[in-house]
Every structure is written in structure tokens, then in C-alpha cells.
Amino acid sequence: MGAPAVCLEKKLHRLPRAAPQVAVTMAGCAKRCQQGLVKFASSLHKLITGTLIKDKADDDLEMTTVCHRPEGLDQLEALTNFNKRELQVLYRGFKNECPSGIVSEETFKQIYAQFFPHGDASTYAHYLFNAFDTAHSGSIKFEDFVTALSILLRGSITEKLQWTFNLYDINRDGYINKEEMTDIVRAIYDMMGKYTYPVLKNEAPKQHVEAFFLKMDKNRDGVVTLDEFILSCQEDENIMRSLQLFENVI
Amino acid sequence: MAAGVATWLPFARAAAVGWLPLAKKTMPKPPVDNSSKSDEILYVNVSGVRFQTWKNTLDRYPETLLGSSEKEFFYNEDTQEFFFDRDPEMFRHILNFYRTGKLHYPRNECIQAFDEELAFYGIVPEIIGDCCMEEYRDRKKENQERLAEDTEANEAMDAPLPPHSSSRERLWRAFENPHTSTMALVFYYVTGFFIAVSVIANVVETVPCRPPKGSVRDLPCGEKYQLAFFCMDTACVLIFTFEYLMRLFAAPSRCKFMRSVMSVIDVVAILPYYIGLVMPENEDVSGAFVTLRVFRVFRIFKFSRHSAGLRILGYTLKSCASELGFLLFSLTMAIIIFATVMFYAEKGTKDSSFTSIPASFWYTIVTMTTLGYGDMVPNTIAGKIFGSICSLSGVLVIALPVPVIVSNFSRIYHQNQRADKMRAQQKVRMARIRMAKKGAANAFLQYKEDRALGDSDTTALCVKNRSAFEYQHNHLLHCLEKTTNHEFTNEMNYSELCTSDSAGCRTSRSTSLSSQQGATDNSTGCCPRRARRRAAIRLANSTVSVSRGSGQELSTLHTKTPQSRSSLNAQTVDLKLNCGAPDFTAAIISIPTPPANSPDDSPAPGILRNTRATAYTHDTFKISSL
């Protein structure tokens, strides 16, 4: 099915006191004065004629936003490498956290931050979110979530490495350059927090990136392509072994 | 949602037989319904309460969870039923919606819980029936206002200043929230005092004082002590002008600030003085100048910055503007009517005070508000009759909008009270969250200590009953450590490393507050590597006088007392380490446990105890089963 169902997103109605303070220019001043005058005249008119303010319930009500209902269980089972029971478990957890069926970036960051209380996980969560959100819609639906998990937990080596390459390639141009890698590595180091042993130096991410490029960049052109990445990873015993690590997570 | 339309579909299709004789072309083939099961009873188990319903009932609303294929995710093969882990009481209402087509809002339920249930089952609240819609909307609006108040109060009041704020921003903040700094508080009280002085001076100025020698007439004090009053006025105006200019300078948006009510009041309060300075000692003009002095009384409105009650009153009047307008309008109508009637009723009598209709306005107003001065009284019978009708109607017209205004005021006032309470509670809540976070961070360190022990058969203390979730979470953190080739430590070890490796060391002054509430674990009995290092530092620090005063924290030492392992009975031990920065403190919550007096204990009692901290439970987190 997958037809988008209409459900709710709460919108808080702020009391009229707090107005956001924005920078103003002199050009807008005259227009605002005019608008203020019009408003004043209309409110005076309302006062004189004694019209009671209509119930502002219409703009108080929540905006109905489109939330998502996932594909049927059978289709999802066909699309991914999970069986029905696993999908059920996954969906129940997902639905509990986000009854509307979609995860926004904020929620994703909050959820991820709870696993790493030592440091700041928001930057890395941002990159992760972009990797999950393949359609770049700004929110993760259950299908995106479960497809990514299927690749990461049940996919082939090549698929996993491809997903990881996508994660590192922030601007999706097919190449990982040093700046992207530095951003990712710095984000990972941020998650460690401040109290580490040995003490975290500022050059540590850079050194890490240098070592990484030394290993991965075969033709020394300063960028890592997908093939170089997959090739280099397949040569490394440690990486190959650790890719099997998370297979029994669900 | 096409409610009962789905059930009428077979009827509509059957009635299509009537078209067959008239049809010009052949009818298209009907769609084949593969899933043509006969109607069956579905079992829905909501937290143990079993509901049964026809499948068709649920299929009525295909855009909800129960009506779509989404419910397949909740199907339990073993028991052949749909299991939902939700509130069974609320589910009753949800199911009734499917049965009757009308959604009712249960009055004794929390509005947010109800909304969450609706969101879970994919039902839009707009379809709540008219019988319950009013109640639902009111409760919802009240709740939203309350939440908006709270978030507003939170972010407005105690948000710490961004670190690189200019002096202008700091100044503005000091003006808006005087509780943030002492200087601001002092200035706040000084301006308040001067407002009071100015208002009292204005009042006392007009009181008649004893006349000076050689005069009979009573003089107002203002003229007798003219110089004194002038000096006081000057001082007040100087302070007010200074305050206004500072506010103008600090305001983020000067245009907007100049248009705000408070700034207008400020200007109006100080302008008469300057105009008086400029104006020449002219007889005709000074008359107008005296009138201008009336505006000095507006200084009393400056108190609204200092008094929340006054602000609430002003806000209430603003929010009740429509009711007040209605009151005014209806009163005006009534006044005109009755004044006209009274004028024509009293026209005949001579020496009547009702000389014109506008003159009768005064009588009508005084009578309608039940004042009744008695300076104008009707003499004719008709006049008296109409006069009594006038006073009766006056009571009614005024009494009507007043309760609305009163209820508005009471609601706003209570909201304000609640905001203060929420602020106090928020502090406690934030402290608790910080503690829980610290506990979670230290749970992992504890896990590492235990793991370093290896086979934990020897020391039964290291074996903790960890859940599968904890194991997996700790494994995840361990993976992160291996990725970055750095290990997590706690603040104390970090400070020790500070002394040994001064380069690149970051001071942790800002987190000393959180560290006092945190728990650390120094289970030297479990981890030999750490124990060796700690013993070395201990020996080095044994000559350090623990109670080195730097005026910042108290340095109390608690000796060992047998205590329970609960984290609530924590005692703080403050230690000052020589770590470069002299006022760096590290606090340890020590929970001495009797069996932890392992032979590895330090010879010097009381400096560092073998402690074990309990990990805080994870129930403060809402982490899903992933």
C-alpha cells in the first residue's frame, strides 16, 4: 500500500507576547508603520462596534502533515533480507519512537546521542542521517530505515562497503577527498568526549586521515574512489573480519 | 474518510443492473476480488484485554492503522491475534470509533495521552464528534498554552549567554533579566527607588504647607521649597534619561524598541522636564507647561517593569480588549437612549437641570453605574420612571462582560504562577538528567574495569547483573574506542594524566559542577594496571595537604562508614590535586563498601577509598529495542 496517511504534527501556538527580534532596515520601517496603522484602525473599529473576537480555533488547530505508512509486510520482506518476525520487531520499535512513521533529523540526533553520553554525537548523527535518507527528503521512513539495516546487517561484503563509501562521501560526487574524511573522522572523535586515555590531541583526526589515505589511495591522486576503497578493504584482514561482527544484532 | 460509504458499495453496484437495458456499449469486466474471504472475526489483544470485532468494521477506515495492512506488523502468529502494547482503556474509544463512526473524547483522560494514542492508530482528531469536540478543543488549547508558556520561560530566562556576546548584548540581557548579574540587580532597585521618589515628590508638591512668614494664604509645598523639589526632579530625570539612553543603545532593534510601549512611557515621563527647561518664563506658555506636568504621573507606569502583577493586569486588559469594547459600545448605546428619553421627559419642568441631551449624559452615566450623586434629579413622574429603568438596566449591562474579564485575568495570573513553579522544577530536572548521563558514562568505565579482570570468578564483586542491552551497548562503545585508538576515562584519571602530560591538556573547570554530582569508580581491586598508577600518584600526593584552601570548594573528608550500596547515600569527598591550575577541584562520590577493603588498600586512610559506584539505571532513557 504505502499510501501516505494523514496524521498530525503538533504545532505550539505561542502567546502573542514574545515576538522574535529580527534585524530591521529603514526601508521596511515605513511599510511596517503603515501596516501598524491599518491594524490600529481596524482594532479601533472593532472596539467601537463591539464585535467580539471570533474564536481563533481555526489557526490554533494543528497542521495536518503527511506521515507515512510503510509498505506491506510481504513487500518489505521481498525487498530486504529480513524475515517477517524480524520486520515486525523492527517496526514495533520504530513506531514506538515515532508514531507518525517518519524520523526527523532532530529526533535521529537525540536517539543517537543517548548511546554516546560521553561526547557529542550530533555531527556524526547528521552524516548518518544523510546516509540513511537516500531520497534526501529530510526524514527517514521505515522503508529507508529497514533497507539500510538490511544492507548493513545482512548484505554482502560489497554492499556493506558501498554503503560505507556512501557515508564517507558527503557530497555524493563519487570521490572521498581529504576534507570529507577529516570531517567524518573529527565527528567520530567528537563522540569520544573529553576524558580519554591517552589525552586527545587536536592533530589526532588529521593523523588518522593521513594513515587512512596512505592505505586506501592506491594511485595517490588525493581522492579515494569506490573501487580503490573496496579493493583496499578487501586486502585488509581486520576489516574483513570485523564486517561480520554485527550480523546477529537483530 | 469515507465512513459508511464502503458498506453501501455492494448496494450501489447491484443497483447498476438498472442501467443495463439502456447501455449503448457493453459493460466493462468487473474487478476480480482475490481476497474474497467471508467476513471473519479478528482478535485484537491490547495489553491483555481481548477485543473482538469483524474484519469489515476495521476495514471501514482504510487510512488508519487498524484498517490498513500496517496492522500485519503487529500480528502474532502463535496466538493468531493482533497484539498492541498500548492502553486498553483508550483502545475502547478507538474501537468504538470504528463501530459507530463517531470518535468521542473521554473527559477524564489526559489530553496528551489521548493525542498520542490517536497518532499511533493513525486517526485524525478532526473527526471527533460534535458532542465532544468543544471539550477537546478547550483542553487542547489550554495544554498548548501551558507548554508554550513553559518553553518560553525556559529559553527566555535562564539560558546562559553565548560565550562571545558583545557588551551590547550583555547590557541588553542585564536590562531584561536583572537577576543575571549583581550590577543589573543594583541598577534595577535603584531605578525602582527613584521612580517611587519621583512619584511621591509629585504628590507631595501639591500638599499645602504652612505659609511662610508674612503671608496668610496656604502655599503648596512645591512653591515653598521650590529649589529642593527642583533638585529632586532633576536627579530623577537624569537617572531616567540615562536609563533610557542605555536601553536604546543596547536594544537589538532600536526601531522596534522605540515603538514599544515601555519606551513611549519612558519618553513621556521625562519630556515635560526638558520642555520646561527650554520654555521661557512666559505667563501664557507656562499655563500650558503646567498642564504638561500632568504627564509626569506617567512615571508610575514605569513600575510595570518591576512588578509582574502590573504587567499581568496590562496583558489581561489587552487580551480582553474585545469584551471591553463590547461593554463600552453597549454602554454608549444605552446612555444615548436614556439621555434622550430623560431630556424629553424633563423638558417641561422649569429649572430643570436637564438643559440638553449632552447634559443628560452625565445623569445617565451616574445612574447606570449606580453612583447616584444627586446633583441632577428628575422631577416629573415620567422622568422618575425612566430614571429607575435606567439604573436597573445599568446594573445588567455592566455585570455581563465583567466575569469574562475576571476569568481571563485569573487564567493569566495562574499561568504566571505556574511559570515560576516550572522554572524551579526545571532546575531539579536538569540536575537529575546530568546525574543520569554521568552515571551512564561511568557504567561503561565500570564495565571495562570488570572486563580487565578477566575471568571474574575470583572476585564476586565484579560480577554484575547486566542486561543484554548493557552488554551490547558496552560493546558498541568498545568498538568506538578501537576505532579512535583512545579510551574513555573519567575526570579524575584525566586530571592525573594532566599532571604527567601537560601538553595538550584541557582544563575542566567548566565541568567541575557536574563532576560533583557524578559518580566515579575507583575499584582498584579489579584493575591491576590502574591500581599501580593510582598507587604511584597516591604516594606522590601523600604529602599534599588535602585542605589547601583556595576559597572555592570545601575540602571535607569523610572517613569510612559502612553504608549501603545505593547511590542515594553518596558522600562527597573533595580533593585538590596539584594540576597546574590551583583552583581545579575534583570531587568523588565515595560509597565505601565493607568487602571492598581489598589488600590493595592504600596505607594512608582517607585520601582515596576503594569505592565502587553503582550505575544508574537506564529507565530515564526512552531507548527502543534496537
Side-chain angles (χ1 to χ4, degrees):
Chain A
M1 256 216 228
V6 176
C7 49
L8 303 164
E9 207 173 82
K10 302 193 191 344
K11 175 178 120 158
L12 288 180
H13 173 65
R14 302 193 77 85
L15 290 174
R17 251 182 305 166
Q21 292 176 333
V22 292
V24 294
T25 64
M26 284 314 291
C29 214
K31 193 160 89 136
R32 264 193 319 279
C33 285
Q34 195 181 37
Q35 281 174 354
L37 219 64
V38 167
K39 228 166 47 159
F40 175 70
S42 78
S43 62
L44 201 66
H45 174 258
K46 260 201 281 217
L47 209 73
I48 290 176
T49 60
T51 47
L52 297 168
I53 293 182
K54 274 201 288 279
D55 190 17
K56 287 200 298 258
D58 308 316
D59 42 89
D60 272 359
L61 266 198
E62 317 83 38
M63 302 186 301
T64 48
T65 60
V66 174
C67 71
H68 204 86
R69 186 148 289 135
E71 310 268 341
L73 201 48
D74 300 312
Q75 284 110 308
L76 275 183
E77 199 189 8
L79 279 173
T80 66
N81 303 331
F82 293 117
N83 62 22
K84 270 212 173 80
R85 223 170 252 268
E86 292 167 338
L87 282 173
Q88 280 185 337
V89 169
L90 279 173
Y91 185 71
R92 278 190 228 131
F94 186 80
K95 177 95 179 168
N96 236 359
E97 281 297 310
C98 322
S100 63
I102 49 174
V103 188
S104 67
E105 184 163 345
E106 266 315 302
T107 323
F108 189 79
K109 279 186 181 164
Q110 276 170 18
I111 295 175
Y112 203 70
Q114 286 175 354
F115 291 103
F116 300 99
H118 304 263
D120 174 28
S122 55
T123 331
Y124 188 65
H126 169 74
Y127 296 130
L128 264 188
F129 185 84
N130 284 340
F132 270 87
D133 182 17
T134 43
H136 304 291
S137 57
S139 58
I140 301 183
K141 303 186 287 293
F142 183 64
E143 284 100 332
D144 303 327
F145 181 68
V146 111
T147 348
L149 277 187
S150 159
I151 294 177
L152 288 172
L153 302 178
R154 302 285 160 91
S156 68
I157 302 279
T158 324
E159 287 175 348
K160 287 182 192 173
L161 290 176
Q162 211 162 3
W163 194 92
T164 319
F165 184 84
N166 247 349
L167 173 68
Y168 293 160
D169 184 13
I170 300 177
N171 56 2
R172 305 271 184 276
D173 62 352
Y175 301 105
I176 306 179
N177 52 16
K178 285 222 170 101
E179 287 80 30
E180 293 174 336
M181 209 54 220
T182 320
D183 286 338
I184 298 265
V185 169
R186 190 162 284 136
I188 295 180
Y189 274 79
D190 280 343
M191 288 199 289
M192 290 293 295
K194 198 156 59 175
Y195 303 122
T196 57
Y197 168 72
V199 175
L200 205 54
K201 310 257 194 322
N202 283 338
E203 310 86 49
K206 273 211 185 49
Q207 289 169 355
H208 203 128
V209 171
E210 291 295 330
F212 176 80
F213 264 79
L214 225 64
K215 194 163 65 162
M216 300 280 167
D217 192 5
K218 296 275 191 233
N219 55 0
R220 300 275 174 270
D221 59 353
V223 292
V224 178
T225 64
L226 179 60
D227 304 310
E228 285 178 343
F229 184 71
I230 295 184
L231 227 67
S232 317
C233 288
Q234 279 172 339
E235 290 169 3
D236 189 337
E237 265 303 312
N238 271 338
I239 297 181
M240 284 291 115
R241 222 193 347 244
S242 55
L243 277 177
Q244 323 289 337
L245 209 56
F246 293 103
E247 293 212 326
N248 62 342
V249 164
I250 307 254
Chain B
M1 303 208 190
V5 171
T7 40
W8 291 106
L9 187 63
F11 163 73
R13 293 178 81 191
V17 172
W19 307 331
L20 291 178
L22 301 164
K24 289 204 183 135
K25 299 219 171 103
T26 50
M27 291 284 150
K29 272 198 167 54
V32 177
D33 194 6
N34 281 334
S35 63
S36 57
K37 295 191 272 277
S38 61
D39 203 9
E40 45 173 339
I41 290 195
L42 297 180
Y43 299 97
V44 180
N45 186 339
V46 183
S47 300
V49 181
R50 249 174 138 234
F51 295 88
Q52 298 172 12
T53 179
W54 292 114
K55 186 167 181 303
N56 279 354
T57 314
L58 294 183
D59 284 341
R60 274 208 205 140
Y61 299 100
E63 287 133 43
T64 61
L65 185 155
L66 291 170
S68 66
S69 66
E70 195 182 345
K71 62 178 185 282
E72 299 296 323
F73 285 98
F74 298 90
Y75 189 68
N76 192 342
E77 298 281 349
D78 309 321
T79 53
Q80 300 274 313
E81 62 188 9
F82 295 93
F83 182 78
F84 291 98
D85 203 6
R86 312 288 294 189
D87 189 0
E89 305 290 330
M90 299 278 208
F91 189 74
R92 197 170 58 82
H93 300 283
I94 306 275
L95 202 51
N96 275 340
F97 162 63
Y98 286 92
R99 291 183 184 132
T100 62
K102 283 207 272 290
L103 179 64
H104 294 278
Y105 167 61
R107 275 168 178 71
N108 57 340
E109 297 286 352
C110 172
I111 183 79
Q112 252 187 325
F114 187 67
D115 264 347
E116 278 173 16
E117 292 295 313
L118 287 186
F120 183 85
Y121 291 108
I123 298 177
V124 190
E126 271 90 25
I127 47 141
I128 291 183
D130 288 332
C131 41
C132 299
M133 189 50 139
E134 190 74 39
E135 171 90 19
Y136 175 79
R137 275 235 183 100
D138 288 343
R139 294 271 292 262
K140 185 116 198 216
K141 194 151 79 148
E142 185 187 318
N143 202 36
Q144 275 179 357
E145 266 183 5
R146 187 177 305 170
L147 284 177
E149 268 286 335
D150 297 341
T151 50
E152 221 178 82
N154 285 344
E155 60 197 41
M157 289 309 286
D158 298 325
L161 263 184
H164 307 294
S165 52
S166 65
S167 63
R168 187 173 155 189
E169 288 176 6
R170 268 203 297 267
L171 198 60
W172 179 249
R173 205 187 143 74
F175 274 126
E176 291 297 296
N177 305 343
H179 306 282
T180 45
S181 81
T182 332
M183 266 305 294
L185 210 60
V186 162
F187 188 69
Y188 176 75
Y189 282 126
V190 160
T191 42
F193 172 70
F194 271 100
I195 295 174
V197 158
S198 160
V199 168
I200 291 175
N202 279 350
V203 167
V204 168
E205 236 178 23
T206 59
V207 171
C209 278
R210 240 172 327 129
K213 286 199 247 315
S215 172
V216 175
R217 202 167 45 103
D218 258 346
L219 265 184
C221 280
E223 287 179 28
K224 187 165 172 204
Y225 302 103
Q226 197 164 18
L227 194 59
F229 277 105
F230 181 72
C231 288
M232 207 173 328
D233 204 21
T234 312
C236 294
V237 167
L238 277 177
I239 298 259
F240 297 152
T241 319
F242 174 70
E243 183 201 355
Y244 179 70
L245 289 175
M246 294 306 295
R247 271 185 209 262
L248 192 62
F249 165 68
S253 143
R254 295 207 174 109
C255 200
K256 195 157 156 291
F257 171 73
M258 293 216 311
R259 284 185 312 201
S260 72
V261 177
M262 285 314 299
S263 122
V264 166
I265 289 178
D266 286 340
V267 169
V268 166
I270 60 181
L271 223 45
Y273 177 80
Y274 288 112
I275 296 182
L277 278 185
V278 173
M279 201 135 38
E281 281 292 336
N282 204 339
E283 269 304 317
D284 336 309
V285 192
S286 63
F289 168 62
V290 165
T291 332
L292 217 59
R293 289 176 120 209
V294 162
F295 285 103
R296 288 190 307 172
V297 83
F298 274 83
R299 288 180 197 165
I300 211 173
F301 283 117
K302 287 167 69 75
F303 264 130
S304 66
R305 280 213 186 93
H306 298 250
S307 152
L310 214 60
R311 271 202 304 273
I312 293 177
L313 193 63
Y315 184 62
T316 313
L317 290 176
K318 197 161 65 129
S319 71
C320 301
S322 60
E323 276 86 18
L324 285 176
F326 170 65
L327 174 63
L328 221 60
F329 178 61
S330 52
L331 264 180
T332 314
M333 262 193 353
I335 286 172
I336 295 178
I337 291 176
F338 280 109
T340 316
V341 168
M342 289 308 295
F343 172 71
Y344 282 113
E346 290 286 308
K347 197 156 178 213
T349 59
K350 63 180 177 72
D351 292 339
S352 144
S353 42
F354 293 83
T355 51
S356 65
I357 293 187
S360 320
F361 281 168
W362 174 243
Y363 167 76
T364 322
I365 290 175
V366 166
T367 314
M368 279 189 94
T369 53
T370 69
L371 275 176
Y373 287 135
D375 52 350
M376 287 165 81
V377 245
N379 288 320
T380 60
I381 296 184
K384 286 188 179 147
I385 291 176
F386 286 119
S388 41
I389 296 178
C390 173
S391 70
L392 285 174
S393 65
V395 169
L396 284 176
V397 167
I398 291 183
L400 285 177
V402 166
V404 180
I405 298 175
V406 165
S407 82
N408 259 357
F409 178 78
S410 140
R411 180 173 57 90
I412 293 169
Y413 181 72
H414 284 305
Q415 266 178 13
N416 207 282
Q417 299 285 71
R418 209 185 21 245
D420 291 336
K421 267 189 271 177
M422 285 302 297
R423 229 170 295 146
Q425 274 177 12
Q426 193 71 356
K427 287 209 178 88
V428 177
R429 210 187 300 169
M430 291 315 295
R432 203 179 300 147
I433 289 178
R434 265 201 300 271
M435 266 169 76
K437 216 173 172 206
K438 193 83 183 160
N442 287 298
F444 177 64
L445 297 169
Q446 177 68 52
Y447 165 79
K448 283 207 307 185
E449 308 272 0
D450 294 350
R451 224 174 20 85
L453 183 65
D455 305 301
S456 46
D457 297 330
T458 50
T459 317
L461 312 157
C462 284
V463 169
K464 289 178 68 120
N465 207 6
R466 286 197 181 84
S467 63
F469 171 80
E470 283 189 44
Y471 277 121
Q472 290 171 3
H473 186 208
N474 291 333
H475 174 249
L476 182 66
L477 292 173
H478 197 61
C479 290
L480 183 61
E481 282 188 334
K482 289 282 182 268
T483 314
T484 56
N485 207 17
H486 288 70
E487 287 178 20
F488 290 109
T489 65
N490 54 14
E491 191 167 348
M492 222 205 70
N493 294 343
Y494 184 74
S495 62
E496 291 171 5
L497 296 170
C498 258
T499 63
S500 49
D501 170 29
S502 54
C505 175
R506 307 181 220 176
T507 61
S508 60
R509 203 172 305 179
S510 56
T511 57
S512 63
L513 182 63
S514 60
S515 72
Q516 281 172 11
Q517 298 159 335
T520 66
D521 47 335
N522 306 325
S523 52
T524 57
C526 276
C527 186
R529 172 165 59 96
R530 290 272 162 79
R532 254 181 283 131
R533 203 163 30 116
R534 202 163 291 123
I537 303 252
R538 214 177 288 134
L539 285 172
N541 281 353
S542 60
T543 55
V544 171
S545 100
V546 172
S547 55
R548 184 188 310 174
S550 88
Q552 200 174 5
E553 312 287 345
L554 21 112
S555 55
T556 51
L557 274 182
H558 292 267
T559 55
K560 55 181 183 295
T561 48
Q563 273 187 343
S564 70
R565 210 186 269 223
S566 80
S567 57
L568 296 174
N569 298 343
Q571 288 176 327
T572 52
V573 175
D574 287 337
L575 248 158
K576 291 197 176 54
L577 303 171
N578 48 349
C579 183
D583 49 349
F584 172 85
T585 54
I588 312 168
I589 293 182
S590 65
I591 310 168
T593 57
N597 291 336
S598 61
D600 231 5
D601 202 352
S602 76
I607 293 187
L608 277 178
R609 300 287 315 157
N610 285 339
T611 60
R612 181 183 301 277
T614 57
Y616 290 83
T617 57
H618 288 271
D619 53 354
T620 52
F621 297 140
K622 191 172 175 251
I623 302 180
S624 64
S625 60
L626 295 169

